[in-house]
Amino acid sequence: MGGGADKPASHERILAAVRAIPRGQVAGYGEVARRAGLPGRARLAARVLSGNTDPTLPWHRVLRSDGRIAFAEGSSGYREQSQRLRAEGVKVERGRVRMPRVEADLDAEIWGRR
DNA sequence: CCCGTGACTCTAC
DNA sequence: CGTAGAGCCACGG
């Protein structure tokens, strides 16, 4: 058996990771890929989203690592994403969203933030 | 097989 | 906080 085609599986995992993002929250491409079990495949995540056809997929919750929208400012995708995010209560300023770094979260976990 | 392109990321300045 | 350069992965020509 050998199957071969493991690419579709990766795509599915990426999509699952995106669907797993709670409403009102956001995640980076790299973060999504990592959650999908595909570390270092941030670009793959972006490619999957670019080719996604599922209208129920919360693709708008996926941003760059910096919290910046991946689309070019002024483009339709950029506007749609920012609008969708705002509709969920996410604050989008200057095409960017407050992206809490995992590192900071770990710091809080270790040092005990309050 | 080489090259260009892209909804990316990290480091350095 | 901003830009610039190099790295990386997947794909089509």
Side-chain angles (χ1 to χ4, degrees):
Chain A
M1 350 222 262
D6 60 304
K7 187 190 339 182
S10 302
H11 285 210
E12 265 310 307
R13 284 199 285 276
I14 296 282
L15 293 173
V18 174
R19 294 196 190 95
I21 303 174
R23 185 179 178 281
Q25 286 193 22
V26 296
Y29 293 92
E31 196 66 33
V32 169
R34 180 135 81 155
R35 289 175 186 177
L38 305 163
R41 269 67 179 181
R43 269 189 127 146
L44 175 61
R47 196 161 195 64
V48 171
L49 290 190
S50 71
N52 125 81
T53 57
D54 185 356
T56 68
L57 186 76
W59 57 269
H60 55 273
R61 291 175 195 155
V62 187
L63 324 159
R64 283 188 182 168
S65 181
D66 290 352
R68 211 148 144 359
I69 292 179
F71 291 103
E73 187 176 356
S75 64
S76 58
Y78 171 96
R79 280 180 309 207
E80 172 148 5
Q81 185 162 15
S82 53
Q83 190 173 348
R84 277 170 175 258
L85 286 174
R86 282 171 183 164
E88 293 190 353
V90 178
K91 202 162 190 192
V92 184
E93 286 186 53
R94 219 149 138 261
R96 296 164 91 174
V97 177
R98 279 290 187 163
M99 269 289 269
R101 279 177 289 177
V102 178
E103 199 180 335
D105 202 32
L106 276 175
D107 265 10
E109 194 72 22
I110 294 166
W111 294 99
R113 72 120 176 90
R114 244 157 313 242

PDB file of all heavy atoms in Angstrom, chain A residues 26-62:
ATOM      1  N   VAL A  26      -7.444  35.162  17.258  1.00  0.00           N
ATOM      2  CA  VAL A  26      -6.688  35.048  16.014  1.00  0.00           C
ATOM      3  C   VAL A  26      -5.448  34.188  16.216  1.00  0.00           C
ATOM      4  O   VAL A  26      -5.064  33.903  17.340  1.00  0.00           O
ATOM      5  CB  VAL A  26      -6.262  36.439  15.512  1.00  0.00           C
ATOM      6  CG1 VAL A  26      -7.460  37.280  15.161  1.00  0.00           C
ATOM      7  CG2 VAL A  26      -5.390  37.124  16.559  1.00  0.00           C
ATOM      8  N   ALA A  27      -4.851  33.780  15.120  1.00  0.00           N
ATOM      9  CA  ALA A  27      -3.631  32.966  15.195  1.00  0.00           C
ATOM     10  C   ALA A  27      -2.781  33.222  13.951  1.00  0.00           C
ATOM     11  O   ALA A  27      -3.290  33.614  12.916  1.00  0.00           O
ATOM     12  CB  ALA A  27      -4.010  31.493  15.297  1.00  0.00           C
ATOM     13  N   GLY A  28      -1.496  32.985  14.087  1.00  0.00           N
ATOM     14  CA  GLY A  28      -0.589  33.212  12.959  1.00  0.00           C
ATOM     15  C   GLY A  28      -0.513  31.985  12.073  1.00  0.00           C
ATOM     16  O   GLY A  28      -0.852  30.887  12.494  1.00  0.00           O
ATOM     17  N   TYR A  29      -0.065  32.159  10.857  1.00  0.00           N
ATOM     18  CA  TYR A  29       0.064  31.040   9.911  1.00  0.00           C
ATOM     19  C   TYR A  29       0.990  29.964  10.490  1.00  0.00           C
ATOM     20  O   TYR A  29       0.676  28.778  10.460  1.00  0.00           O
ATOM     21  CB  TYR A  29       0.615  31.537   8.572  1.00  0.00           C
ATOM     22  CG  TYR A  29      -0.339  32.442   7.849  1.00  0.00           C
ATOM     23  CD1 TYR A  29      -0.297  33.826   8.022  1.00  0.00           C
ATOM     24  CD2 TYR A  29      -1.298  31.911   7.003  1.00  0.00           C
ATOM     25  CE1 TYR A  29      -1.176  34.654   7.358  1.00  0.00           C
ATOM     26  CE2 TYR A  29      -2.183  32.733   6.336  1.00  0.00           C
ATOM     27  CZ  TYR A  29      -2.114  34.112   6.524  1.00  0.00           C
ATOM     28  OH  TYR A  29      -2.987  34.921   5.877  1.00  0.00           O
ATOM     29  N   GLY A  30       2.101  30.416  11.000  1.00  0.00           N
ATOM     30  CA  GLY A  30       3.059  29.472  11.592  1.00  0.00           C
ATOM     31  C   GLY A  30       2.456  28.750  12.783  1.00  0.00           C
ATOM     32  O   GLY A  30       2.679  27.555  12.983  1.00  0.00           O
ATOM     33  N   GLU A  31       1.701  29.485  13.559  1.00  0.00           N
ATOM     34  CA  GLU A  31       1.062  28.897  14.738  1.00  0.00           C
ATOM     35  C   GLU A  31       0.067  27.828  14.312  1.00  0.00           C
ATOM     36  O   GLU A  31       0.010  26.744  14.881  1.00  0.00           O
ATOM     37  CB  GLU A  31       0.344  30.008  15.513  1.00  0.00           C
ATOM     38  CG  GLU A  31       0.000  29.602  16.918  1.00  0.00           C
ATOM     39  CD  GLU A  31       1.259  29.377  17.756  1.00  0.00           C
ATOM     40  OE1 GLU A  31       2.256  30.056  17.532  1.00  0.00           O
ATOM     41  OE2 GLU A  31       1.205  28.508  18.627  1.00  0.00           O
ATOM     42  N   VAL A  32      -0.706  28.144  13.311  1.00  0.00           N
ATOM     43  CA  VAL A  32      -1.692  27.194  12.778  1.00  0.00           C
ATOM     44  C   VAL A  32      -1.003  25.926  12.278  1.00  0.00           C
ATOM     45  O   VAL A  32      -1.399  24.811  12.605  1.00  0.00           O
ATOM     46  CB  VAL A  32      -2.500  27.831  11.627  1.00  0.00           C
ATOM     47  CG1 VAL A  32      -3.330  26.780  10.897  1.00  0.00           C
ATOM     48  CG2 VAL A  32      -3.411  28.918  12.181  1.00  0.00           C
ATOM     49  N   ALA A  33       0.045  26.142  11.499  1.00  0.00           N
ATOM     50  CA  ALA A  33       0.783  24.990  10.948  1.00  0.00           C
ATOM     51  C   ALA A  33       1.328  24.146  12.094  1.00  0.00           C
ATOM     52  O   ALA A  33       1.252  22.917  12.063  1.00  0.00           O
ATOM     53  CB  ALA A  33       1.921  25.490  10.070  1.00  0.00           C
ATOM     54  N   ARG A  34       1.850  24.822  13.096  1.00  0.00           N
ATOM     55  CA  ARG A  34       2.419  24.108  14.248  1.00  0.00           C
ATOM     56  C   ARG A  34       1.339  23.291  14.952  1.00  0.00           C
ATOM     57  O   ARG A  34       1.535  22.133  15.280  1.00  0.00           O
ATOM     58  CB  ARG A  34       2.973  25.124  15.225  1.00  0.00           C
ATOM     59  CG  ARG A  34       3.551  24.409  16.381  1.00  0.00           C
ATOM     60  CD  ARG A  34       4.875  24.959  16.775  1.00  0.00           C
ATOM     61  NE  ARG A  34       4.843  26.122  17.560  1.00  0.00           N
ATOM     62  CZ  ARG A  34       5.899  26.367  18.357  1.00  0.00           C
ATOM     63  NH1 ARG A  34       6.882  25.518  18.379  1.00  0.00           N
ATOM     64  NH2 ARG A  34       5.941  27.391  19.048  1.00  0.00           N
ATOM     65  N   ARG A  35       0.178  23.895  15.162  1.00  0.00           N
ATOM     66  CA  ARG A  35      -0.927  23.176  15.804  1.00  0.00           C
ATOM     67  C   ARG A  35      -1.367  22.006  14.949  1.00  0.00           C
ATOM     68  O   ARG A  35      -1.926  21.036  15.444  1.00  0.00           O
ATOM     69  CB  ARG A  35      -2.106  24.130  16.014  1.00  0.00           C
ATOM     70  CG  ARG A  35      -1.838  25.150  17.103  1.00  0.00           C
ATOM     71  CD  ARG A  35      -2.988  26.139  17.174  1.00  0.00           C
ATOM     72  NE  ARG A  35      -2.676  27.218  18.119  1.00  0.00           N
ATOM     73  CZ  ARG A  35      -3.488  28.246  18.316  1.00  0.00           C
ATOM     74  NH1 ARG A  35      -4.624  28.336  17.660  1.00  0.00           N
ATOM     75  NH2 ARG A  35      -3.175  29.178  19.164  1.00  0.00           N
ATOM     76  N   ALA A  36      -1.151  22.116  13.648  1.00  0.00           N
ATOM     77  CA  ALA A  36      -1.562  21.046  12.729  1.00  0.00           C
ATOM     78  C   ALA A  36      -0.514  19.935  12.687  1.00  0.00           C
ATOM     79  O   ALA A  36      -0.683  18.945  11.988  1.00  0.00           O
ATOM     80  CB  ALA A  36      -1.775  21.634  11.339  1.00  0.00           C
ATOM     81  N   GLY A  37       0.542  20.138  13.453  1.00  0.00           N
ATOM     82  CA  GLY A  37       1.593  19.123  13.468  1.00  0.00           C
ATOM     83  C   GLY A  37       2.559  19.301  12.318  1.00  0.00           C
ATOM     84  O   GLY A  37       3.260  18.372  11.939  1.00  0.00           O
ATOM     85  N   LEU A  38       2.609  20.509  11.765  1.00  0.00           N
ATOM     86  CA  LEU A  38       3.490  20.769  10.632  1.00  0.00           C
ATOM     87  C   LEU A  38       4.330  22.011  10.886  1.00  0.00           C
ATOM     88  O   LEU A  38       4.134  23.047  10.265  1.00  0.00           O
ATOM     89  CB  LEU A  38       2.653  20.954   9.372  1.00  0.00           C
ATOM     90  CG  LEU A  38       1.721  19.797   9.065  1.00  0.00           C
ATOM     91  CD1 LEU A  38       0.658  20.229   8.069  1.00  0.00           C
ATOM     92  CD2 LEU A  38       2.494  18.619   8.509  1.00  0.00           C
ATOM     93  N   PRO A  39       5.255  21.914  11.828  1.00  0.00           N
ATOM     94  CA  PRO A  39       6.108  23.054  12.169  1.00  0.00           C
ATOM     95  C   PRO A  39       6.952  23.498  10.991  1.00  0.00           C
ATOM     96  O   PRO A  39       7.502  22.680  10.277  1.00  0.00           O
ATOM     97  CB  PRO A  39       6.990  22.513  13.307  1.00  0.00           C
ATOM     98  CG  PRO A  39       6.971  21.034  13.138  1.00  0.00           C
ATOM     99  CD  PRO A  39       5.635  20.702  12.546  1.00  0.00           C
ATOM    100  N   GLY A  40       7.031  24.779  10.770  1.00  0.00           N
ATOM    101  CA  GLY A  40       7.836  25.312   9.677  1.00  0.00           C
ATOM    102  C   GLY A  40       7.088  25.380   8.366  1.00  0.00           C
ATOM    103  O   GLY A  40       7.642  25.755   7.351  1.00  0.00           O
ATOM    104  N   ARG A  41       5.826  25.011   8.398  1.00  0.00           N
ATOM    105  CA  ARG A  41       5.028  25.030   7.162  1.00  0.00           C
ATOM    106  C   ARG A  41       4.049  26.189   7.123  1.00  0.00           C
ATOM    107  O   ARG A  41       2.927  26.043   6.655  1.00  0.00           O
ATOM    108  CB  ARG A  41       4.267  23.724   7.020  1.00  0.00           C
ATOM    109  CG  ARG A  41       5.044  22.685   6.247  1.00  0.00           C
ATOM    110  CD  ARG A  41       6.226  22.263   7.002  1.00  0.00           C
ATOM    111  NE  ARG A  41       6.947  21.253   6.261  1.00  0.00           N
ATOM    112  CZ  ARG A  41       8.034  20.687   6.730  1.00  0.00           C
ATOM    113  NH1 ARG A  41       8.502  21.045   7.894  1.00  0.00           N
ATOM    114  NH2 ARG A  41       8.647  19.809   6.026  1.00  0.00           N
ATOM    115  N   ALA A  42       4.440  27.320   7.633  1.00  0.00           N
ATOM    116  CA  ALA A  42       3.551  28.490   7.645  1.00  0.00           C
ATOM    117  C   ALA A  42       3.099  28.812   6.231  1.00  0.00           C
ATOM    118  O   ALA A  42       1.945  29.137   5.978  1.00  0.00           O
ATOM    119  CB  ALA A  42       4.277  29.681   8.244  1.00  0.00           C
ATOM    120  N   ARG A  43       4.031  28.696   5.294  1.00  0.00           N
ATOM    121  CA  ARG A  43       3.701  29.022   3.906  1.00  0.00           C
ATOM    122  C   ARG A  43       2.694  28.050   3.353  1.00  0.00           C
ATOM    123  O   ARG A  43       1.882  28.387   2.511  1.00  0.00           O
ATOM    124  CB  ARG A  43       4.962  28.997   3.095  1.00  0.00           C
ATOM    125  CG  ARG A  43       5.552  30.365   3.088  1.00  0.00           C
ATOM    126  CD  ARG A  43       6.663  30.414   2.127  1.00  0.00           C
ATOM    127  NE  ARG A  43       6.354  31.512   1.310  1.00  0.00           N
ATOM    128  CZ  ARG A  43       7.229  32.316   0.785  1.00  0.00           C
ATOM    129  NH1 ARG A  43       8.473  32.087   0.933  1.00  0.00           N
ATOM    130  NH2 ARG A  43       6.848  33.295   0.085  1.00  0.00           N
ATOM    131  N   LEU A  44       2.746  26.814   3.838  1.00  0.00           N
ATOM    132  CA  LEU A  44       1.790  25.809   3.386  1.00  0.00           C
ATOM    133  C   LEU A  44       0.401  26.200   3.880  1.00  0.00           C
ATOM    134  O   LEU A  44      -0.574  26.119   3.144  1.00  0.00           O
ATOM    135  CB  LEU A  44       2.174  24.439   3.952  1.00  0.00           C
ATOM    136  CG  LEU A  44       1.167  23.341   3.640  1.00  0.00           C
ATOM    137  CD1 LEU A  44       1.032  23.147   2.138  1.00  0.00           C
ATOM    138  CD2 LEU A  44       1.581  22.042   4.294  1.00  0.00           C
ATOM    139  N   ALA A  45       0.344  26.646   5.117  1.00  0.00           N
ATOM    140  CA  ALA A  45      -0.944  27.086   5.685  1.00  0.00           C
ATOM    141  C   ALA A  45      -1.531  28.195   4.821  1.00  0.00           C
ATOM    142  O   ALA A  45      -2.719  28.188   4.498  1.00  0.00           O
ATOM    143  CB  ALA A  45      -0.731  27.572   7.109  1.00  0.00           C
ATOM    144  N   ALA A  46      -0.691  29.128   4.430  1.00  0.00           N
ATOM    145  CA  ALA A  46      -1.147  30.245   3.598  1.00  0.00           C
ATOM    146  C   ALA A  46      -1.654  29.716   2.255  1.00  0.00           C
ATOM    147  O   ALA A  46      -2.683  30.150   1.749  1.00  0.00           O
ATOM    148  CB  ALA A  46       0.004  31.215   3.379  1.00  0.00           C
ATOM    149  N   ARG A  47      -0.931  28.754   1.708  1.00  0.00           N
ATOM    150  CA  ARG A  47      -1.312  28.186   0.421  1.00  0.00           C
ATOM    151  C   ARG A  47      -2.665  27.485   0.533  1.00  0.00           C
ATOM    152  O   ARG A  47      -3.513  27.587  -0.334  1.00  0.00           O
ATOM    153  CB  ARG A  47      -0.251  27.179  -0.021  1.00  0.00           C
ATOM    154  CG  ARG A  47      -0.381  26.863  -1.481  1.00  0.00           C
ATOM    155  CD  ARG A  47       0.927  26.251  -1.964  1.00  0.00           C
ATOM    156  NE  ARG A  47       1.008  26.243  -3.386  1.00  0.00           N
ATOM    157  CZ  ARG A  47       1.049  27.339  -4.136  1.00  0.00           C
ATOM    158  NH1 ARG A  47       0.976  28.522  -3.598  1.00  0.00           N
ATOM    159  NH2 ARG A  47       1.142  27.236  -5.422  1.00  0.00           N
ATOM    160  N   VAL A  48      -2.853  26.769   1.630  1.00  0.00           N
ATOM    161  CA  VAL A  48      -4.115  26.049   1.853  1.00  0.00           C
ATOM    162  C   VAL A  48      -5.267  27.044   1.924  1.00  0.00           C
ATOM    163  O   VAL A  48      -6.324  26.839   1.336  1.00  0.00           O
ATOM    164  CB  VAL A  48      -4.049  25.232   3.155  1.00  0.00           C
ATOM    165  CG1 VAL A  48      -5.411  24.672   3.510  1.00  0.00           C
ATOM    166  CG2 VAL A  48      -3.049  24.096   3.008  1.00  0.00           C
ATOM    167  N   LEU A  49      -5.047  28.118   2.659  1.00  0.00           N
ATOM    168  CA  LEU A  49      -6.106  29.122   2.791  1.00  0.00           C
ATOM    169  C   LEU A  49      -6.392  29.772   1.442  1.00  0.00           C
ATOM    170  O   LEU A  49      -7.540  30.073   1.122  1.00  0.00           O
ATOM    171  CB  LEU A  49      -5.685  30.181   3.801  1.00  0.00           C
ATOM    172  CG  LEU A  49      -5.635  29.688   5.250  1.00  0.00           C
ATOM    173  CD1 LEU A  49      -5.446  30.855   6.177  1.00  0.00           C
ATOM    174  CD2 LEU A  49      -6.908  28.941   5.611  1.00  0.00           C
ATOM    175  N   SER A  50      -5.343  29.978   0.673  1.00  0.00           N
ATOM    176  CA  SER A  50      -5.531  30.612  -0.637  1.00  0.00           C
ATOM    177  C   SER A  50      -6.356  29.716  -1.549  1.00  0.00           C
ATOM    178  O   SER A  50      -7.055  30.192  -2.423  1.00  0.00           O
ATOM    179  CB  SER A  50      -4.180  30.897  -1.273  1.00  0.00           C
ATOM    180  OG  SER A  50      -3.571  29.683  -1.680  1.00  0.00           O
ATOM    181  N   GLY A  51      -6.236  28.403  -1.322  1.00  0.00           N
ATOM    182  CA  GLY A  51      -6.973  27.471  -2.175  1.00  0.00           C
ATOM    183  C   GLY A  51      -8.217  26.922  -1.514  1.00  0.00           C
ATOM    184  O   GLY A  51      -8.911  26.084  -2.072  1.00  0.00           O
ATOM    185  N   ASN A  52      -8.515  27.418  -0.335  1.00  0.00           N
ATOM    186  CA  ASN A  52      -9.688  26.908   0.387  1.00  0.00           C
ATOM    187  C   ASN A  52     -10.985  27.367  -0.274  1.00  0.00           C
ATOM    188  O   ASN A  52     -11.059  28.451  -0.849  1.00  0.00           O
ATOM    189  CB  ASN A  52      -9.607  27.386   1.833  1.00  0.00           C
ATOM    190  CG  ASN A  52     -10.857  28.124   2.231  1.00  0.00           C
ATOM    191  OD1 ASN A  52     -11.854  27.528   2.560  1.00  0.00           O
ATOM    192  ND2 ASN A  52     -10.801  29.427   2.177  1.00  0.00           N
ATOM    193  N   THR A  53     -11.984  26.512  -0.198  1.00  0.00           N
ATOM    194  CA  THR A  53     -13.270  26.843  -0.831  1.00  0.00           C
ATOM    195  C   THR A  53     -14.400  26.796   0.184  1.00  0.00           C
ATOM    196  O   THR A  53     -15.526  27.158  -0.132  1.00  0.00           O
ATOM    197  CB  THR A  53     -13.563  25.828  -1.943  1.00  0.00           C
ATOM    198  OG1 THR A  53     -13.559  24.518  -1.381  1.00  0.00           O
ATOM    199  CG2 THR A  53     -12.529  25.906  -3.044  1.00  0.00           C
ATOM    200  N   ASP A  54     -14.063  26.353   1.382  1.00  0.00           N
ATOM    201  CA  ASP A  54     -15.086  26.237   2.416  1.00  0.00           C
ATOM    202  C   ASP A  54     -15.480  27.615   2.963  1.00  0.00           C
ATOM    203  O   ASP A  54     -14.669  28.290   3.576  1.00  0.00           O
ATOM    204  CB  ASP A  54     -14.520  25.364   3.548  1.00  0.00           C
ATOM    205  CG  ASP A  54     -15.571  25.099   4.602  1.00  0.00           C
ATOM    206  OD1 ASP A  54     -16.677  25.656   4.481  1.00  0.00           O
ATOM    207  OD2 ASP A  54     -15.290  24.335   5.539  1.00  0.00           O
ATOM    208  N   PRO A  55     -16.714  28.016   2.716  1.00  0.00           N
ATOM    209  CA  PRO A  55     -17.181  29.334   3.165  1.00  0.00           C
ATOM    210  C   PRO A  55     -17.349  29.400   4.686  1.00  0.00           C
ATOM    211  O   PRO A  55     -17.434  30.484   5.254  1.00  0.00           O
ATOM    212  CB  PRO A  55     -18.526  29.493   2.456  1.00  0.00           C
ATOM    213  CG  PRO A  55     -18.991  28.096   2.205  1.00  0.00           C
ATOM    214  CD  PRO A  55     -17.758  27.269   2.020  1.00  0.00           C
ATOM    215  N   THR A  56     -17.383  28.237   5.311  1.00  0.00           N
ATOM    216  CA  THR A  56     -17.560  28.214   6.767  1.00  0.00           C
ATOM    217  C   THR A  56     -16.218  28.277   7.498  1.00  0.00           C
ATOM    218  O   THR A  56     -16.166  28.317   8.717  1.00  0.00           O
ATOM    219  CB  THR A  56     -18.287  26.924   7.196  1.00  0.00           C
ATOM    220  OG1 THR A  56     -17.439  25.802   6.963  1.00  0.00           O
ATOM    221  CG2 THR A  56     -19.562  26.742   6.414  1.00  0.00           C
ATOM    222  N   LEU A  57     -15.151  28.252   6.717  1.00  0.00           N
ATOM    223  CA  LEU A  57     -13.825  28.290   7.330  1.00  0.00           C
ATOM    224  C   LEU A  57     -13.481  29.707   7.814  1.00  0.00           C
ATOM    225  O   LEU A  57     -13.512  30.649   7.035  1.00  0.00           O
ATOM    226  CB  LEU A  57     -12.785  27.836   6.307  1.00  0.00           C
ATOM    227  CG  LEU A  57     -11.376  27.690   6.875  1.00  0.00           C
ATOM    228  CD1 LEU A  57     -11.273  26.417   7.700  1.00  0.00           C
ATOM    229  CD2 LEU A  57     -10.362  27.659   5.767  1.00  0.00           C
ATOM    230  N   PRO A  58     -13.179  29.843   9.101  1.00  0.00           N
ATOM    231  CA  PRO A  58     -12.833  31.160   9.673  1.00  0.00           C
ATOM    232  C   PRO A  58     -11.429  31.600   9.289  1.00  0.00           C
ATOM    233  O   PRO A  58     -10.590  31.847  10.154  1.00  0.00           O
ATOM    234  CB  PRO A  58     -12.970  30.923  11.175  1.00  0.00           C
ATOM    235  CG  PRO A  58     -12.648  29.479  11.366  1.00  0.00           C
ATOM    236  CD  PRO A  58     -13.121  28.773  10.121  1.00  0.00           C
ATOM    237  N   TRP A  59     -11.163  31.690   8.037  1.00  0.00           N
ATOM    238  CA  TRP A  59      -9.837  32.049   7.519  1.00  0.00           C
ATOM    239  C   TRP A  59      -9.410  33.442   7.986  1.00  0.00           C
ATOM    240  O   TRP A  59      -8.237  33.737   8.111  1.00  0.00           O
ATOM    241  CB  TRP A  59      -9.862  32.019   5.999  1.00  0.00           C
ATOM    242  CG  TRP A  59     -10.892  32.926   5.425  1.00  0.00           C
ATOM    243  CD1 TRP A  59     -12.176  32.601   5.133  1.00  0.00           C
ATOM    244  CD2 TRP A  59     -10.736  34.312   5.101  1.00  0.00           C
ATOM    245  NE1 TRP A  59     -12.829  33.704   4.632  1.00  0.00           N
ATOM    246  CE2 TRP A  59     -11.960  34.771   4.603  1.00  0.00           C
ATOM    247  CE3 TRP A  59      -9.660  35.213   5.177  1.00  0.00           C
ATOM    248  CZ2 TRP A  59     -12.160  36.096   4.200  1.00  0.00           C
ATOM    249  CZ3 TRP A  59      -9.862  36.527   4.766  1.00  0.00           C
ATOM    250  CH2 TRP A  59     -11.094  36.961   4.272  1.00  0.00           C
ATOM    251  N   HIS A  60     -10.386  34.282   8.268  1.00  0.00           N
ATOM    252  CA  HIS A  60     -10.081  35.666   8.655  1.00  0.00           C
ATOM    253  C   HIS A  60      -9.387  35.738  10.015  1.00  0.00           C
ATOM    254  O   HIS A  60      -8.845  36.761  10.390  1.00  0.00           O
ATOM    255  CB  HIS A  60     -11.366  36.480   8.661  1.00  0.00           C
ATOM    256  CG  HIS A  60     -12.435  35.894   9.520  1.00  0.00           C
ATOM    257  ND1 HIS A  60     -13.325  34.939   9.063  1.00  0.00           N
ATOM    258  CD2 HIS A  60     -12.745  36.105  10.814  1.00  0.00           C
ATOM    259  CE1 HIS A  60     -14.137  34.614  10.049  1.00  0.00           C
ATOM    260  NE2 HIS A  60     -13.816  35.300  11.134  1.00  0.00           N
ATOM    261  N   ARG A  61      -9.405  34.607  10.753  1.00  0.00           N
ATOM    262  CA  ARG A  61      -8.761  34.609  12.074  1.00  0.00           C
ATOM    263  C   ARG A  61      -7.284  34.280  11.977  1.00  0.00           C
ATOM    264  O   ARG A  61      -6.592  34.178  12.975  1.00  0.00           O
ATOM    265  CB  ARG A  61      -9.461  33.584  12.973  1.00  0.00           C
ATOM    266  CG  ARG A  61     -10.868  34.028  13.319  1.00  0.00           C
ATOM    267  CD  ARG A  61     -11.613  32.953  14.110  1.00  0.00           C
ATOM    268  NE  ARG A  61     -13.031  33.257  14.122  1.00  0.00           N
ATOM    269  CZ  ARG A  61     -13.984  32.340  14.291  1.00  0.00           C
ATOM    270  NH1 ARG A  61     -13.663  31.085  14.489  1.00  0.00           N
ATOM    271  NH2 ARG A  61     -15.236  32.695  14.291  1.00  0.00           N
ATOM    272  N   VAL A  62      -6.810  34.104  10.765  1.00  0.00           N
ATOM    273  CA  VAL A  62      -5.399  33.785  10.561  1.00  0.00           C
ATOM    274  C   VAL A  62      -4.649  35.001  10.018  1.00  0.00           C
ATOM    275  O   VAL A  62      -5.018  35.551   8.989  1.00  0.00           O
ATOM    276  CB  VAL A  62      -5.247  32.604   9.585  1.00  0.00           C
ATOM    277  CG1 VAL A  62      -3.797  32.174   9.518  1.00  0.00           C
ATOM    278  CG2 VAL A  62      -6.126  31.443  10.015  1.00  0.00           C
TER     279      VAL A  62
END
